[in-house]
Structures are given as structure tokens and as C-alpha cells.
Amino acid sequence: MYYINISALLLLFLTGCIHSNPKIVDKSYADSLIHNYSRTDPAGKNNTEMAFWKARINPDNPGISNELKYSSALVRRFHQSGDINDLIKAEKVLKETSQVYNNKEAGVYVALTEIALLKHQFKNAADLLNKAKQIGVQNYVANSYSFDVEFELGHYNLASFYLS
């Protein structure tokens, strides 16, 4: 009996080791997907968008929308490439825009807060965010950035409050 049980277990074990390659998807279907699928190039798309917004900026008649979109594209490119010069350029554009509008645009300060966070300048980010709040910014935006700033500064109770 003992030998029969061992033989049965051995047989069961060996049959479990047999490799079978069942066909999951027909090759022609997979080939057609590969042939018709095209990946988008995020960096290329962002560079196209960045060139578009940069071309719309009129130095003689500065605005806010084009400058914000251009700086946003620069920040996206920083996320893709890690080139700190993109953040420096975006920050410069935003500071110039803020001066044109007498430092009264909350959206500019929110964008500057994001850049300060990316540069790990957390105290500067807190100051910029406070300016945005004083000017007037939506509660969701204020709370989201407040959480980030307070968390990075180590004020965990305040961060928890803003997260709630």
C-alpha cells in the first residue's frame, strides 16, 4: 500500500510538471493590434504645446493665460526630463507675469508654489501659498497645496487637518 501511494504521488507530481502551451490569443489578432497601435510621444506632444503657448506670448502686451500655459508646459517637461532649467525658466515667466499684474493674481502664486515645492524650497512655498490665499484662491486648491506645504515642513497635525 505504501508503495502504491508513493507511486501515485510521484505520477501526480510528474504529470503536473508537463508544460503545455495553450494558445490564448490567435497570432493574427495580436499582430493586427501591434500593427495598428501607435504610442503617443508625451515629450513631443508637450514640446509642440509649449511652442504653441510661447508663440502666443506678446511681450508688448503681456497676458496671463498664455504665460501660465507656457510655464505649465515647462514644468511638465521638467517632470519628463529632470532639467532644472525648465523650472527656472517657468519661475521667471511667472514672476514677470506677476509684476505686470501688480502681484494680484492668485493663480500665478499657486503656480509659483508648485515650483517651489518641486525645488524643495518649502518655506518659500509656504510664503507663496499664503500670498495666494490672501489674494483669494479656491478652497480645494488652497487645501491641497496647504497639505503638501505643511507635510513637507513637518507640521503633520496641520497637514492632517488640510487632508481632512
Side-chain angles (χ1 to χ4, degrees), residues 47 50-51 54 57 66-78 81 83-97 108 111-112 115 119:
N47 287 338
M50 189 168 45
K54 184 177 183 180
I57 295 174
N66 299 329
E67 287 79 353
L68 282 172
K69 296 282 189 176
Y70 175 60
S71 67
S72 177
L74 284 166
V75 170
R76 262 193 312 280
R77 188 166 74 178
F78 165 76
S81 69
D83 187 355
I84 192 68
N85 292 313
D86 290 330
L87 286 184
I88 293 169
K89 192 183 297 183
E91 185 176 37
K92 181 178 182 235
V93 168
L94 291 169
K95 285 181 177 179
E96 290 170 356
T97 302
V108 174
L112 286 168
I115 290 172
K119 291 169 67 178

Side-chain angles (χ1 to χ4, degrees), residues 121-139:
Q121 298 172 344
F122 304 124
K123 289 183 181 182
N124 184 30
D127 293 340
L128 292 165
L129 182 58
N130 285 332
K131 287 179 186 177
K133 287 178 181 179
Q134 289 170 358
I135 295 169
V137 67
Q138 295 173 338
N139 285 338

Side-chain angles (χ1 to χ4, degrees), residues 11-12 24 40 58 63 78-79 88 90 94-95 97 110-111 117 133 138 151 154 156:
L11 182 64
L12 184 64
I24 297 173
T40 59
N58 183 354
F78 165 76
H79 284 295
I88 293 169
L94 291 169
K95 285 181 177 179
T97 302
V110 170
L117 285 168
K133 287 178 181 179
Q138 295 173 338
F151 181 83
Y156 301 122

